[in-house]
Amino acid sequence: MKTALICGVSGQDGAYLADLLLKKGYSVYGTSRDAQMSSFNNLSRLGIREKIKLESMSLTDFRSVLQILTKIQPDEVYNLAGQSSVGLSFEQPVETLESMAIGTLNLLEAIRFTKAKIKLYNASSSECFGDTKGLPADENTPFRPRSPYAVAKATAFWEVANYREAYGLFACSGILFNHESPLRPERFVTQKIIKAAIDIADGKQQKLYLGDISIQRDWGWAPEYVEAMYLMLQQQEPDDYVIATGETYSLAEFIESAFTCLGLNWQDYVESDSNLLRPTDIAVGRGNPTKAEQKLGWKAKYKMPDVVRMMVVSPSGLPY
């Protein structure tokens, strides 16, 4: 039986990954800064709360990281922790950078220090690419981050690449494009849209206020994306991979799909609010997942319309 440690197990990806690894026979540990106080609602929604061994660990505290790795002695570590909102990163830039850059560095240094045979997955982001002028981004596309969140993710990415090259660690990053599910918090615009559409259909809400709905993104289904994380750590050699559907849609199309699922015309309910615009944003996000398909055998089955439909009809969060 393999042992996996998931940092950030309480988030969307952490919960789905925990579910996947349990089904594969892993002993799964998850961490939170205070495991006794955290609710772990997403684990409960998936019905796996009691199957995960939970530990308190602060990624920004090297001693804490070292203690947990020594105690658990995992075969695989999945680093999904850190401040996860692009919008919030403009308000909390220091917390965002520290949680990702220092947290990732502490994991890498602890693995190097203990000489443990640990395979490390690091959650990177398509936000690192910035504005690619509509061109699909792959593993060779330069990073031009346009938010504190993207800067932090880019920093962590290069830390992983450096430790892999300098010390021979099995460490890799998944550069994931947008991926959604019912487990998304409401501060994410996709979940805000889904909830508003349902509430409007139920007569509980009148209007939905949004910022720029012309932006385009490559949206996938989160339970599929955690499969790619797992596959990266099953390879003979560590490497970095872009994970995406390869198809891009505008936020307006996302909105239309959600309201159409409920028999509504979105244009009757959605209004623009300039206060919701970000200081900088990416006009078009488009990914090229060819390498993941060729080397991992991974290909997205669900595209944006499928994702929206599943978010509307399966609010429980169950992946399939």
Side-chain angles (χ1 to χ4, degrees):
M1 178 185 290
K2 285 185 179 180
T3 298
L5 172 64
I6 302 174
C7 307
V9 74
S10 60
Q12 167 190 264
D13 292 5
Y16 283 128
L17 178 63
D19 186 52
L20 175 71
L21 294 178
L22 285 171
K23 289 173 179 173
K24 292 186 178 293
Y26 277 65
S27 175
V28 181
Y29 287 79
T31 69
S32 174
R33 272 176 286 190
D34 189 340
Q36 291 183 321
M37 294 298 292
S38 297
S39 64
F40 299 104
N41 284 336
N42 285 337
L43 299 180
S44 297
R45 288 174 69 180
L46 296 183
I48 58 173
R49 169 70 175 76
E50 304 305 319
K51 300 176 183 178
I52 309 297
K53 304 172 187 71
L54 300 167
E55 299 281 351
S56 297
M57 183 180 79
S58 171
L59 273 175
T60 55
D61 181 341
F62 179 74
R63 185 172 180 270
S64 175
V65 174
L66 192 60
Q67 282 181 321
I68 292 298
L69 289 186
T70 302
K71 176 182 177 180
I72 296 173
Q73 297 186 355
D75 299 289
E76 299 171 2
V77 173
Y78 295 85
N79 179 25
L80 313 180
Q83 198 290 102
S84 60
S85 167
V86 176
L88 188 58
S89 75
F90 286 99
E91 299 173 27
Q92 299 180 3
V94 175
E95 157 68 15
T96 301
L97 185 65
E98 287 182 347
S99 67
M100 295 179 197
I102 296 177
T104 304
L105 185 59
N106 280 340
L107 275 172
L108 289 162
E109 186 64 4
I111 293 170
R112 184 191 71 82
F113 182 77
T114 59
K115 295 182 172 61
K117 297 297 183 183
I118 293 173
K119 293 184 175 183
L120 175 68
Y121 170 84
N122 172 60
S124 192
S125 169
S126 61
E127 291 286 328
C128 296
F129 294 123
D131 195 342
T132 61
K133 310 299 182 186
L135 297 175
D138 62 21
E139 294 78 9
N140 296 314
T141 302
F143 285 174
R144 294 187 177 89
R146 302 194 69 200
S147 67
Y149 172 88
V151 170
K153 284 291 189 183
T155 303
F157 174 92
W158 288 116
E159 289 171 348
V160 169
N162 177 244
Y163 270 69
R164 183 172 63 224
E165 182 179 337
Y167 304 115
L169 267 60
F170 194 111
C172 54
S173 292
I175 310 171
L176 273 58
F177 276 72
N178 299 61
H179 48 291
E180 313 298 331
S181 79
L183 299 189
R184 270 292 191 217
E186 283 182 33
R187 71 169 180 266
F188 285 80
V189 69
T190 48
Q191 189 67 294
K192 177 181 177 180
I193 292 165
I194 298 296
K195 183 178 184 301
I198 293 171
D199 285 349
I200 289 170
D202 290 341
K204 298 176 184 177
Q205 186 172 329
Q206 301 301 316
K207 294 288 184 180
L208 170 60
Y209 297 93
L210 295 169
D212 185 359
I213 65 171
S214 69
I215 62 166
Q216 298 177 39
R217 294 291 184 270
D218 185 327
W219 279 292
W221 181 233
E224 279 194 320
Y225 282 43
V226 300
E227 293 177 19
M229 300 176 189
Y230 163 77
L231 288 170
M232 287 181 213
L233 296 196
Q234 312 315 308
Q235 304 306 303
Q236 288 293 106
E237 299 294 333
D239 207 347
D240 306 317
Y241 297 86
V242 164
I243 304 299
T245 70
E247 293 186 11
T248 298
Y249 297 85
S250 70
L251 189 60
E253 289 174 304
F254 189 103
I255 298 163
E256 182 180 15
S257 293
F259 278 78
T260 300
C261 281
L262 296 159
L264 300 173
N265 178 6
W266 70 274
Q267 291 172 319
D268 293 336
Y269 304 99
V270 177
E271 294 188 8
S272 178
D273 183 351
S274 60
N275 292 320
L276 297 174
L277 297 173
R278 293 173 181 168
T280 56
D281 210 341
I282 298 169
V284 180
R286 181 169 285 131
N288 177 1
T290 301
K291 180 178 174 181
E293 184 177 353
Q294 292 177 345
K295 293 197 171 184
L296 302 179
W298 182 92
K299 185 176 182 179
K301 301 182 188 73
Y302 301 111
K303 308 299 170 63
M304 184 277 285
D306 308 308
V307 172
V308 171
R309 186 183 69 256
M310 291 188 287
M311 289 179 74
V312 170
V313 302
S314 180
S316 66
L318 293 174
Y320 307 109

